[in-house]
Amino acid sequence: MTNFEAPRGTHDILPAEQPLWRLVAAEVDRLCALYGYRPVQTPVFEDTALFQRTSGAGSDIVHKEMYTFEDKSGRSLTLRPEATAPIARAYLEHGLHREGQPAKLYTLGPMYRYTAPQRGNFREFWQLSVEAIGSDDPALDAEVIQVYDELLARLGVTNYELQLNSIGDENCRPQYLERLTAWLDEHDDVLDDEARQKRATSPLRVFDVKNERVQAALGEAPKIGDALCDACREHFEQVKASLENYAIDFTLVPTLVRGLDYYTRTAFEFVDEAIGAKSSICGGGRYDGLIEQIGGRPTPGIGFGAGIERLLLSLEAAGVGAEPEGVGVFVRLLEGDHKPRALPLVAELRRAGLSADVDYAGRSLKGQLTQAGRLGAKAVVEWGPERSKIRRSGEPDEEVPTADGATRARASCARSTWGSGTRWRGGSRGGATTAGSCSSTCATRPASASS
């Protein structure tokens, strides 16, 4: 028994869990390609100032949650708590702003925040980030939202709600903040310590408080939606119209705000109450001031971050699972000294594109069959010096010359129920679909995917 465990707030993704993880990642890649989003990878650590400048020095992420350290040269570095700022930095550093706009990018990788670990909430967590930088078209806001809505539908998750709001911009938000601050001064008695701390850094953040009593009281506070300028109001109306054209249901939530300073105008969340108190599975919005904050010219942008661990909880609640492909062929050794002569057959099967394995633990004949079952083998080849036997469940055994074993095994597997990838089961789509391919059930989506 080891004395070491995974650090608190982290988790291992074991082989039994990999099929569902890989299925989600493959669907993300396929779907993003259909929408024209290109993959990008950024370092897992960045200059600390990048997050301080973009997230806001008073935000919970900067104030409480960042993993920050000095390297051996005395530079302050931070493990990325989110991916939007690093992608924006890469957009500027590598001249993506000089290419055709908008630059449509996505990444899937680990992020790091020092938070209280709980179900679906980890200190090292995996996140999908989808970003479209270089256009302020309201239809682009709707497309970014529709990307995640479609991902959920394709994976079979339907019991969720899209919450939507507009939080204005630099033209109308200052006047609103004056009204909100006045209201908070008059109603300080309904606030708790968390709300007072948040309003000290940014009054808009009071709407992020966790206390249900305070949240109920804030329902009487002035709403940003009532203070939007004409430009922001028109932008929001077009976003809503585009979502309706996509047949996407949404709920207007006047108190919905984003926790980072760079957000403007459109703000949204996907929530799934089935996964527990931390019900948000995706959050995003427009960030038209972000690029300028890190040294670029004013450049509009829109994007979201979606935690994979929380998405997996939604899949679990929806009854969606994944089945591993299993080994294609298991080569069973009738005699222990046959292994050196049987290994070329194993290699030939692999070169032909069939997964193959052989016993490396000195098992008995019965034990080898048990191991073949554990590996989910589609066929077993009993190797003999001159002739071998191909065995498949529910079909007659086939005896073939050993020299033709690989060819005949390939043909035999082609006739059997042969899988080409991880399969999912359950969900609203019905049937099974392989990662990287799509059955006819994926060709269209329901008119409405949210509750």
Side-chain angles (χ1 to χ4, degrees):
M1 178 67 69
T2 179
N3 293 324
F4 296 101
E5 297 180 348
R8 177 171 164 79
T10 67
H11 63 110
D12 301 307
I13 307 171
L14 300 175
E17 302 169 282
Q18 289 289 342
L20 194 55
W21 278 79
R22 296 177 70 178
L23 183 147
V24 169
E27 188 62 25
V28 164
D29 289 339
R30 192 182 68 81
L31 192 61
C32 285
L34 291 176
Y35 283 73
Y37 288 80
R38 298 178 294 165
V40 62
Q41 295 291 342
T42 64
V44 297
F45 58 85
E46 299 271 357
D47 287 336
T48 300
L50 174 67
F51 301 112
Q52 291 174 332
R53 186 175 301 178
T54 58
S55 300
S59 67
D60 284 348
I61 288 179
V62 172
H63 187 62
K64 302 177 181 178
E65 299 175 357
M66 293 200 319
Y67 281 92
T68 297
F69 61 96
E70 275 195 3
D71 69 6
K72 294 183 179 180
S73 297
R75 290 175 292 238
S76 180
L77 301 172
T78 294
L79 297 179
R80 61 185 182 190
E82 52 95 13
T84 302
I87 289 176
R89 188 266 309 152
Y91 170 88
L92 274 182
E93 181 179 346
H94 301 289
L96 298 184
H97 57 290
R98 292 190 289 269
E99 300 179 358
Q101 301 296 290
K104 301 168 77 171
L105 307 166
Y106 78 98
T107 193
L108 180 61
M111 312 292 159
Y112 302 86
R113 295 186 189 182
Y114 187 82
T115 59
Q118 53 186 293
R119 187 170 183 260
N121 201 52
F122 297 91
R123 292 174 176 173
E124 181 191 56
F125 59 98
W126 286 72
Q127 186 178 82
L128 165 65
S129 292
V130 173
E131 317 291 345
I133 305 174
S135 172
D136 62 0
D137 189 339
L140 187 59
D141 299 37
E143 179 188 272
V144 167
I145 293 170
Q146 205 257 345
V147 167
Y148 194 70
D149 185 78
E150 181 68 12
L151 177 65
L152 293 178
R154 287 172 179 268
L155 291 175
V157 179
T158 57
N159 188 29
Y160 59 90
E161 178 183 56
L162 168 60
Q163 300 180 350
L164 190 67
N165 194 24
S166 175
I167 57 175
D169 62 11
E170 71 279 2
N171 295 315
C172 53
R173 196 186 297 171
Q175 292 84 355
Y176 166 72
L177 291 179
E178 290 180 6
R179 293 176 53 200
L180 177 61
T181 299
W183 188 92
L184 293 172
D185 288 340
E186 294 175 6
H187 299 81
D188 183 74
D189 59 312
V190 304
L191 305 181
D192 61 4
D193 291 340
E194 180 193 15
R196 294 187 183 97
Q197 181 182 25
K198 287 181 179 294
R199 72 159 294 188
T201 58
S202 173
L204 204 58
R205 288 203 182 102
V206 297
F207 294 109
D208 271 339
V209 296
K210 301 177 178 63
N211 187 305
E212 293 183 359
R213 178 186 61 81
V214 177
Q215 285 181 346
L218 288 172
E220 302 299 321
K223 306 299 189 296
I224 181 67
D226 298 329
L228 296 179
C229 62
D230 290 343
C232 286
R233 184 174 291 106
E234 175 60 23
H235 184 276
F236 194 41
E237 290 300 320
Q238 292 187 41
V239 172
K240 292 186 289 184
S242 294
L243 289 173
E244 290 168 354
N245 289 336
Y246 278 126
I248 295 176
D249 289 345
F250 56 86
T251 301
L252 296 179
V253 180
T255 57
L256 174 64
V257 298
R258 304 300 303 144
L260 301 176
D261 280 356
Y262 54 64
Y263 282 109
T264 58
R265 292 189 169 178
T266 306
F268 64 90
E269 282 191 358
F270 287 81
V271 297
D272 183 355
E273 300 292 345
I275 72 172
K278 289 281 189 177
S279 60
S280 176
I281 55 176
C282 173
R286 181 160 281 283
Y287 45 84
D288 293 347
L290 175 60
I291 298 296
E292 189 175 9
Q293 286 183 14
I294 60 175
R297 301 177 64 179
T299 306
I302 172 80
F304 68 74
I308 301 302
E309 287 88 350
R310 293 190 187 179
L311 172 57
L312 294 179
L313 291 178
S314 289
L315 293 176
E316 177 185 325
V320 178
E323 300 172 358
E325 177 185 358
V327 172
V329 178
F330 186 86
V331 177
R332 185 188 189 199
L333 306 174
L334 300 179
E335 301 290 343
D337 59 2
H338 285 173
K339 185 182 298 179
R341 298 167 63 188
L343 290 179
L345 171 62
V346 178
E348 188 176 353
L349 289 166
R350 291 167 176 167
R351 281 194 296 268
L354 299 179
S355 57
D357 209 346
V358 68
D359 176 51
Y360 291 105
R363 295 179 176 87
S364 65
L365 293 177
K366 182 179 179 181
Q368 290 180 62
L369 285 179
T370 300
Q371 178 66 2
R374 291 193 193 102
L375 297 175
K378 307 298 189 301
V380 173
V381 174
E382 293 184 348
W383 189 91
E386 301 297 332
R387 298 187 68 80
S388 296
K389 185 181 295 183
I390 300 174
R391 303 179 63 182
R392 300 184 309 281
S393 178
E395 297 189 26
D397 295 347
E398 181 182 4
E399 189 170 310
V400 300
T402 296
D404 299 334
T407 301
R408 300 292 287 273
R410 290 199 306 272
S412 175
C413 289
R415 296 195 303 271
S416 66
T417 52
W418 194 249
S420 59
T422 301
R423 293 180 172 269
W424 70 60
R425 61 180 184 276
S428 66
R429 291 293 184 186
T433 288
T434 59
S437 65
C438 192
S439 70
S440 60
T441 56
C442 290
T444 58
R445 64 183 303 282
S448 172
S450 55
S451 58

